[in-house]
Amino acid sequence: MYVRDAKNREEVWLLDHIESMGLDETAFRSRDYVVAIDEASGEKAGFGRIRVHKPDDESAADVCELTSIGVLEGWRGQGVGAHIVERLVEYAGDEGFDTVYVLTGEGAYLAQFGFQRIEESDLPGVLQQRLADKRDGVDPDAVPLAIDTEEFRMPDRLREAFKRAPEGREETGDRESPEDFGIDPDSATYKYDTGR
């Protein structure tokens, strides 16, 4: 099992799973995502995204948000989500961000890595409106969390679970189909308008 940058051809796969899981697809760009892959079968197990926000005030620093973390049902409980979060936080640190923010109703899950709840008033301005939008849309229970990129920690049990994945799974493979490329096989048309 490993986590890598998403490929452009995975755009439709990502959009399908984001939609089916009820996750946030605001300002979708496949290049912002990472994907967890099973080495043996090539099967995709999960995904996540770092979204960089540019504040209206040009003198203010950019803001980094972790969002749209999803693990496919058969892969849950095997450390996949933890390693996606780890990869994204590492990426944010490599890009010069000291803090990563999350707006989610799943704060208990992220607390095990060191994310802490913060006051809404402590959020950068660009994320205050984003929090309101998330509460009105995909995540009514969203609260703000933050972590210093140097403070991230991976629980040993999740690291070990990820090393053992895919325990107890059948070999399924991951053959590409026309739908992976956004083509509806019944009508030979594109499923999504990606603005291109």
Side-chain angles (χ1 to χ4, degrees):
M1 184 67 65
Y2 64 97
V3 179
R4 63 154 169 79
D5 293 341
K7 298 178 180 176
N8 286 341
R9 65 182 166 85
E10 293 169 327
E11 192 169 89
V12 173
W13 180 87
L14 284 165
L15 284 167
D16 280 348
H17 288 287
I18 289 166
E19 182 181 333
S20 71
M21 293 179 188
L23 300 173
D24 183 10
E25 64 181 68
T26 305
F28 176 87
R29 295 183 329 175
S30 60
R31 68 178 174 251
D32 295 339
Y33 284 81
V34 296
V35 178
I37 305 288
D38 176 43
E39 292 168 278
S41 68
E43 184 178 358
K44 298 174 192 92
F47 55 89
R49 174 186 188 194
I50 283 287
R51 182 172 177 201
V52 176
H53 298 271
K54 301 206 178 284
D56 293 334
D57 177 0
E58 292 183 24
S59 65
D62 290 351
V63 176
C64 184
E65 176 193 10
L66 185 134
T67 185
S68 302
I69 307 299
V71 176
L72 279 61
E73 192 169 329
W75 288 98
R76 294 179 185 155
Q78 298 184 55
V80 173
H83 281 77
I84 290 169
V85 171
E86 179 182 45
R87 170 75 182 266
L88 292 170
V89 171
E90 284 176 0
Y91 173 79
D94 291 347
E95 292 298 307
F97 291 99
D98 294 327
T99 304
V100 175
Y101 295 93
V102 182
L103 310 172
T104 183
E106 301 295 328
Y109 175 76
L110 292 169
Q112 66 188 324
F113 308 115
F115 283 86
Q116 296 182 353
R117 183 152 182 197
I118 61 172
E119 294 297 321
E120 290 178 35
S121 59
D122 292 336
L123 273 175
V126 68
L127 289 182
Q128 289 180 9
Q129 182 58 49
R130 176 115 167 88
L131 177 60
D133 292 343
K134 280 193 96 163
R135 286 177 173 163
D136 289 341
V138 297
D139 195 352
D141 299 323
V143 296
L145 302 158
I147 190 170
D148 181 314
T149 56
E150 298 294 319
E151 300 296 318
F152 181 89
R153 63 186 181 279
M154 174 69 73
D156 289 339
R157 66 183 169 73
L158 294 175
R159 190 163 310 284
E160 290 304 313
F162 191 70
K163 287 178 186 176
R164 291 188 312 271
E167 265 186 5
R169 291 188 47 83
E170 296 176 21
E171 292 293 324
T172 59
D174 193 21
R175 293 198 174 123
E176 293 176 340
S177 70
E179 287 194 1
D180 290 330
F181 296 93
I183 299 170
D184 182 339
D186 296 328
S187 64
T189 60
Y190 287 98
K191 290 173 64 175
Y192 296 101
D193 177 8
T194 58
R196 291 187 201 154

